[in-house]
Amino acid sequence: MSLGHALLGLLERGPGHGYDLKKAYDDQFGQDRPLHYGQVYTTLSRLLRNGLVQEAGVESGSGPDRKRYAITDAGVTDVENWLGTPEKPEPYLQNTLYTKVVLALLSGREAADVLDTQRAAHLNAMRELTRRKTDGDLADKLICDYALFHLEADLRWLELTTARLDELAKQVGR
Amino acid sequence: MTLLSATDLHKAFGPTPALAGAGLTVDAGEIVAIMGPSGSGKSTLLHCLAGILTPDAGSVHYRGVDLGSLPDGKRSELRRTEFGFVFQFGQLVPELSCVENVALPLRLAGVKRRDAESRATDWLEKLEVADVAAKRPGETSGGQGQRVAVARALVTAPKVIFADEPTGALDSLNGERVMTLFLAAARATSAAVVLVTHEPRVAAYADREVVVRDGRSRLVEHAG
């Protein structure tokens, strides 16, 4: 997750102070982890240095930073590029799980149990997310959906691997 | 309280065994997902639980009564009055309107048309498909059709609803609407649900899952 891009995206709605940005970010994305001011100001100064934001006036009064920031044309282009570029699909658990399954087979343990245990943990997590989603608002639904689809993908891998255990056992045992 | 229990079920179709020692219990008001790969026997298990199929060996008890000991007529009556069914598709009568489809189980039970259709309309409203009441099933979308089918399964206030891949033909969003409305209605009426699905996202709506593999049910431990 790129904080710079998130802040730039928030600034597209109009100029704001560091404090405004932190608040807007926390409202939209910070349910689990609100931002520290330090992160906001470090990121803003980097964006400023790179010409993606510019200062848009300083308000009188006390306080550490009364500067207002506005997104530049280069900043808008940067956000557009970011939104238009897919994220790299990251491997999640399969390395660990594959290792466990192979080790179970090699040591003569029930590899199906390893997979079933994992499968139960995955479905538990999915049930929890489904409950949260059913009780939640649209933002909760979208966030939970994302996690649900990812867990489902892992679960499908677990099922397919279970179906391929005999084949895998032969190959591992060779 | 155990509502439904199956012990050591065996069932073969010709030389092919479909169930080889499967068992399962369902408590009143509980939602249980039966999962497993294609051909694992999960639909056969559902059909045995519902008294549609008679197992070759093993027994199914509903409220303490052995389904195998009941004469056919009694078993049909049980299915009509205590059980509800939702399948993947093709369960609505194409010549009848949606409201007539939902009212059908009540009509078969001798309820007068006006009363039956009024209760059917209530259920269509709960499933948010009152707008298709006068349409025939062929004139509705897949998601609407499934919600009509759910309304029909619920209209007799069954104690157990058997659902076999109820969202199998639907996209994610329509599947989610069907599951949300279906299970909210089931919970509101304290009906138990036995849900066969191969989709983890659908199974995640249940209280727990049972995995069927090679005709046997595997009980999977999980931490609440």
Side-chain angles (χ1 to χ4, degrees):
Chain A
M1 173 65 205
S2 155
L3 179 57
H5 288 122
L7 295 187
L8 282 175
L10 290 171
L11 278 175
E12 284 198 301
R13 300 182 306 178
H17 300 93
Y19 174 77
D20 300 331
L21 285 173
K22 174 193 154 40
K23 197 168 171 309
Y25 181 94
D26 286 353
D27 285 347
Q28 294 292 342
F29 314 114
Q31 285 94 342
D32 297 326
R33 239 179 358 168
L35 284 180
H36 295 294
Y37 282 108
Q39 287 173 278
V40 177
Y41 290 115
T42 316
T43 307
L44 280 173
S45 52
R46 176 169 57 78
L47 296 176
L48 193 62
R49 201 166 57 239
N50 294 339
L52 303 177
V53 299
Q54 61 194 16
E55 288 180 19
V58 180
E59 267 178 25
S60 57
S62 59
D65 193 343
R66 309 297 294 171
K67 280 179 205 151
R68 281 158 62 83
Y69 297 91
I71 191 166
T72 62
D73 288 346
V76 173
T77 307
D78 199 54
V79 172
E80 270 171 15
N81 287 340
W82 177 57
L83 291 177
T85 310
E87 300 293 314
K88 186 180 171 200
E90 294 284 349
Y92 296 102
L93 281 171
Q94 70 266 45
N95 286 337
T96 317
L97 291 176
Y98 179 77
T99 308
K100 280 182 167 180
V101 169
V102 170
L103 282 175
L105 289 172
L106 281 175
S107 65
R109 293 190 178 90
E110 275 293 336
D113 289 350
V114 173
L115 291 165
D116 272 352
T117 304
Q118 188 61 46
R119 168 206 171 83
H122 267 64
L123 250 173
N124 251 355
M126 289 182 73
R127 257 194 297 277
E128 182 52 41
L129 286 162
T130 303
R131 270 196 289 272
R132 252 175 72 186
K133 179 176 141 169
T134 309
D135 299 338
D137 59 15
L138 187 57
D140 290 324
K141 279 192 184 20
L142 293 176
I143 289 163
C144 290
D145 277 339
Y146 187 85
L148 278 167
F149 279 116
H150 278 256
L151 287 171
E152 184 181 41
D154 284 358
L155 227 151
R156 285 185 186 282
W157 181 86
L158 291 167
E159 284 180 351
L160 191 58
T161 305
T162 305
R164 286 178 166 160
L165 270 182
D166 291 346
E167 198 185 339
L168 181 63
K170 277 185 208 140
Q171 194 165 315
V172 166
R174 260 208 303 261
Chain B
M1 186 193 81
T2 300
L3 193 63
L4 189 64
S5 68
T7 322
D8 200 21
L9 294 182
H10 290 255
K11 178 78 187 174
F13 298 104
T16 316
L19 294 179
L24 169 70
T25 61
V26 181
D27 286 348
E30 188 185 28
I31 298 174
V32 181
I34 300 179
M35 299 192 74
S38 307
S40 61
K42 54 191 191 298
S43 290
T44 306
L45 175 58
L46 180 113
H47 290 152
C48 286
L49 286 170
I52 296 170
L53 282 175
T54 306
D56 301 333
S59 62
V60 177
H61 285 80
Y62 173 70
R63 291 181 145 175
V65 176
D66 185 350
L67 291 191
S69 73
L70 292 177
D72 282 352
K74 280 280 176 204
R75 216 166 33 231
S76 305
E77 190 187 322
L78 191 70
R79 280 204 300 273
R80 226 173 35 238
T81 55
E82 303 277 299
F83 297 169
F85 295 90
V86 183
F87 298 108
Q88 189 169 343
F89 40 55
Q91 52 201 310
L92 297 171
V93 182
E95 292 81 7
L96 298 179
S97 71
C98 288
V99 71
E100 286 166 339
N101 263 286
V102 177
L104 190 59
L106 296 173
R107 299 283 290 138
L108 292 173
V111 178
K112 292 232 164 31
R113 174 184 284 272
R114 264 177 82 113
D115 188 18
E117 291 193 357
S118 143
R119 281 156 68 182
T121 304
D122 286 348
W123 276 107
L124 288 172
E125 276 166 13
K126 282 180 195 151
L127 274 299
E128 300 178 5
V129 275
D131 50 327
V132 301
K135 290 187 178 170
R136 291 185 176 185
E139 298 165 334
T140 66
S141 71
Q144 289 168 333
Q146 275 311 76
R147 282 184 274 150
V148 172
V150 169
R152 193 177 67 176
L154 286 156
V155 75
T156 53
K159 297 286 184 296
V160 192
I161 300 160
F162 296 94
D164 195 349
E165 302 283 5
T167 63
L170 304 179
D171 62 38
S172 297
L173 191 56
N174 278 295
E176 177 183 306
R177 289 195 74 190
V178 167
M179 287 312 295
T180 310
L181 292 165
F182 172 19
L183 296 187
R187 287 194 199 276
T189 57
S190 303
V193 177
V194 181
L195 172 68
V196 163
T197 182
H198 70 279
E199 290 184 86
R201 265 177 311 112
V202 174
Y205 284 92
D207 299 321
R208 64 183 172 95
E209 79 277 4
V210 171
V211 181
V212 179
R213 211 167 278 148
D214 301 328
R216 282 192 191 82
S217 36
R218 279 179 85 99
L219 293 175
V220 183
E221 294 296 322
H222 51 70

